[in-house]
Amino acid sequence: MDKLRTFLLELSRRQKRLIQVSADIVLVWLALWLSFVVRLGVDALINPFTAHQVLFLSAPAIAIPLFIRFGMYRAVMRYFGNDALIAIIKAVSLSSLILGIVVFWYSNHQNIVPRSIIFNYWWLSLIMIGGLRLAMRQYFLGDWFTAAQHVPFTNRDDGLPKVAIYGAGAAGNQLVAALRMGRVMRPIAFIDDDSSIADRVIAGLQVYKPKNIQRMIDVTGAQEILLAIPSANRVRRREILGFLEGFPLHVRSIPGFMDLASGRVKVDDIQEVDIADLLGRDAVPAQESLLEHCIKEQVVMVTGAGGSIGSELCRQILELRPSTLIMFEHSEFNLYSILSELEQQVARKSLSVRLLPILGSVTNPRKLLDVMNVWQVNTVYHAAAYKHVPIVEHNIAEGVLNNVIGTLNTAQAALQAGVANFVLISTDKAVRPTNVMGSTKRLAELTLQALSREIAPVLFGDNANVSRVNKTRFTMVRFGNVLGSSGSVIPLFHKQIKSGGPLTVTHPKITRYFMTIPEAAQLVIQAGAMGMGGDVFVLDMGEPVRIVELAEKMIHLSGFSVRSEKNPHGDIAIEFTGLRPGEKLYEELLIGDNVVQTSHPMIMSANEDFIPWDALKGKLAELITAVETDDYSRVRQLLRDTVSGYAPDGEIVDWIHQQRRRDP
């Protein structure tokens, strides 16, 4: 059977159509002959080659052209569906009607033919032609009993993982069809909250109420649950995931409607549970006027365009139709990746947006100024930064140069080029920092705060002492961790679970704020449009999340149990490795308590202290000198004097400088 199936599938399209046409001619003849048998009985059997020869020649001559016209030979048997069945009904009905006219003419000129023959021919043709195609679909799928779960003697173990589908709606039914076709998993049951369909059978699968999941597991042997509820909001998904944690099942999901509609994924693209669902917070609808204010039909530049935040900013900016999008990035691979993605999006949606990939570093002030002058940039989103706390903690020189001097270079280039809007992507680690990364980001904020209050500043490093008219509106947006960013704990946990654990958490009490990358980028764009100059905006990150609880949830939703003192026979352990250099137990979003709500419910404005520009320039000059001379004790002291609340855990040591001292 398998060899015959493979042989038929490998035939050319022409050969397959020839077989279908030949089979339909035989079925039309058979249906017409049986229609006489049904009407006249076995005693009056009709010989098609003697009696009613005209009818038996006319039937296929009428039917086959109509079958071709209705596209019956264009349908692929393996994907035969409702549309093809409707086409068959139309084609058979019309061919029966035309044959009825032939019968009427034939009865007036030759033998009398009972009129009920046409009705018999119609329903027999439907059954035989449609039924054969349905049978062939099941045959080519390789499973005659996929939808016969409750038929006696048809249950069998095919070795495929058994999965239950949470959600018996349209998405759930599409998923069942996709799984049966792909033969990678075997759907065995539906779970649905709708009590009106509980204990009923849909697509051959019994529907269970959520409270009966344990009974479903006992009866079916389910190993996984696939969430097919793309329309549910995050609050509802969090409730469902919280409920499913109590069962020994691996929980995964299918994508949301927006991903399906955009063509990025298909219904059967199963993925691990989106960790954002565990946070249980829905994104607030964007305010279109704020989104478009600094972008639509303007020249927009994104520094760090290939990073996790920068790339998402580029995606969302592209949707808002700027005239030109400049992607400034020092990593060639990251720049290539985001450029390729955006070029496909431009081609797919026929967007009239010019994409300009620029390789360069924010530590090169001349390159930044040239780019902004040549393309007359209107808005800059400055996302370029080193953000990984432990790495920056021991690469102090690069951290200062990239995060502080890079921001200074970009801001001064924007001021010189007359850029209208400048938005800095900041971090909650800038608030009372305990690490170099956080202190350098706060120093970057202070730089923009100082510049924004100068009408005509003398720029840092300008020996000519020339005042520059400041036409740039500087804005800072501060938020916490984003899910899925480079260095995020979530991908690490997924990898550790896949390898059997353990999951590593630095401290039992460590907490973090989390937000999805798309939501953060959207809020950054809106906040950037709200500022009056020198504003520090803080995004509402919701409630902080304990990392150890997040780890436990991910273990449970992967179908495993946590190994601990209370449960020594669990599957995966959680190990505490100790706080890393510069790491805090708790992150904060505000330095002071002076915060004002804005017109957007997710964006707050913080009135933070600042240092006047002339005083700050002196501090920056000292900091650069200290870095260039490897005087890191002086760097530490300058950061403590300049950044309010900076309290390093211990001495800060640059690895290169440390090695130099060991090997003079």
Side-chain angles (χ1 to χ4, degrees), residues 206-398:
Q206 184 169 340
V207 182
Y208 291 85
K209 293 180 181 178
K211 67 179 182 181
N212 295 329
I213 288 180
Q214 188 57 55
R215 179 162 65 87
M216 181 272 295
I217 296 172
D218 296 337
V219 171
T220 64
Q223 300 161 290
E224 293 191 29
I225 289 185
L226 303 182
L227 299 182
I229 46 174
S231 60
N233 60 35
R234 293 212 184 277
V235 174
R236 179 59 188 144
R237 293 173 76 91
R238 183 184 184 183
E239 292 174 357
I240 293 171
L241 290 172
F243 177 72
L244 295 177
E245 270 192 76
F247 300 98
L249 296 169
H250 186 182
V251 181
R252 293 196 282 176
S253 67
I254 63 169
F257 280 139
M258 293 308 295
D259 289 329
L260 295 172
S262 67
R264 291 195 293 267
V265 293
K266 304 185 292 296
V267 169
D268 56 338
D269 282 340
I270 298 166
Q271 58 195 22
E272 294 298 329
V273 169
D274 187 350
I275 208 67
D277 293 336
L278 295 178
L279 304 182
R281 188 182 64 181
D282 288 305
V284 174
Q287 299 180 18
E288 291 298 324
S289 59
L290 292 177
L291 286 176
E292 297 177 348
H293 182 73
C294 300
I295 294 174
K296 191 171 184 181
E297 298 178 359
Q298 299 184 49
V299 179
V300 181
M301 177 176 174
V302 179
T303 68
S308 50
I309 293 293
S311 59
E312 182 60 30
L313 280 170
C314 289
R315 294 183 193 101
Q316 296 198 22
I317 288 168
L318 188 65
E319 294 287 341
L320 298 170
R321 312 295 175 98
S323 62
T324 303
L325 174 57
I326 300 172
M327 296 162 284
F328 194 88
E329 171 63 53
H330 79 285
S331 167
E332 182 187 28
F333 176 75
N334 287 352
L335 185 59
Y336 168 76
S337 299
I338 187 61
L339 175 64
S340 301
E341 179 185 336
L342 296 187
E343 282 178 336
Q344 293 177 12
Q345 193 172 342
V346 167
R348 186 170 62 249
K349 298 184 178 180
S350 301
L351 301 177
S352 57
V353 180
R354 180 171 57 170
L355 298 176
L356 294 174
I358 304 295
L359 271 175
S361 170
V362 292
T363 58
N364 185 344
R366 179 66 180 273
K367 182 70 172 282
L368 288 164
L369 182 57
D370 285 346
V371 171
M372 294 184 198
N373 272 331
V374 168
W375 281 287
Q376 298 181 328
V377 174
N378 302 108
T379 301
V380 172
Y381 292 95
H382 182 52
Y386 290 141
K387 301 183 288 291
H388 196 275
V389 170
I391 290 178
V392 176
E393 195 67 13
H394 294 301
N395 289 272
I396 301 163
E398 286 302 313

Side-chain angles (χ1 to χ4, degrees), residues 403-404 407-408 411 424 426 430 433 438-454 474 476 478 534-536 591 608-617 619-620 638-646:
N403 293 358
V404 180
T407 300
L408 174 66
L424 169 69
S426 191
S439 62
T440 55
K441 291 298 286 184
R442 177 56 186 151
L443 198 48
E445 290 182 356
L446 288 168
T447 301
L448 297 194
Q449 286 179 283
L451 276 174
S452 67
R453 285 166 172 78
E454 296 292 321
F474 292 102
M476 292 135 276
R478 188 188 290 163
D535 305 82
V536 178
I591 296 175
E608 306 284 30
D609 294 334
F610 72 99
I611 300 173
W613 177 238
D614 288 337
L616 184 63
K617 283 197 295 182
K619 296 286 187 183
L620 292 174
L638 285 168
L639 290 176
R640 293 194 68 169
D641 293 343
T642 310
V643 177
S644 175
Y646 175 49

Side-chain angles (χ1 to χ4, degrees), residues 571-609:
D571 301 307
I572 296 178
I574 297 175
E575 289 185 0
F576 299 104
T577 58
L579 291 175
R580 298 174 296 180
E583 192 171 37
K584 295 168 69 174
L585 273 180
Y586 311 101
E587 297 291 0
E588 305 166 90
L589 290 168
L590 295 171
I591 296 175
D593 298 324
N594 196 359
V595 63
V596 179
Q597 187 64 51
T598 68
S599 59
H600 196 292
M602 299 288 288
I603 301 173
M604 299 173 290
S605 178
N607 295 315
E608 306 284 30
D609 294 334

Side-chain angles (χ1 to χ4, degrees), residues 402-448:
N402 198 64
N403 293 358
V404 180
I405 308 306
T407 300
L408 174 66
N409 293 339
T410 312
Q412 291 194 151
L415 192 148
Q416 290 175 270
V419 172
N421 309 294
F422 187 102
V423 183
L424 169 69
I425 313 301
S426 191
T427 171
D428 58 353
K429 293 175 178 61
V431 178
R432 282 180 280 276
T434 59
N435 49 68
V436 173
M437 193 280 279
S439 62
T440 55
K441 291 298 286 184
R442 177 56 186 151
L443 198 48
E445 290 182 356
L446 288 168
T447 301
L448 297 194

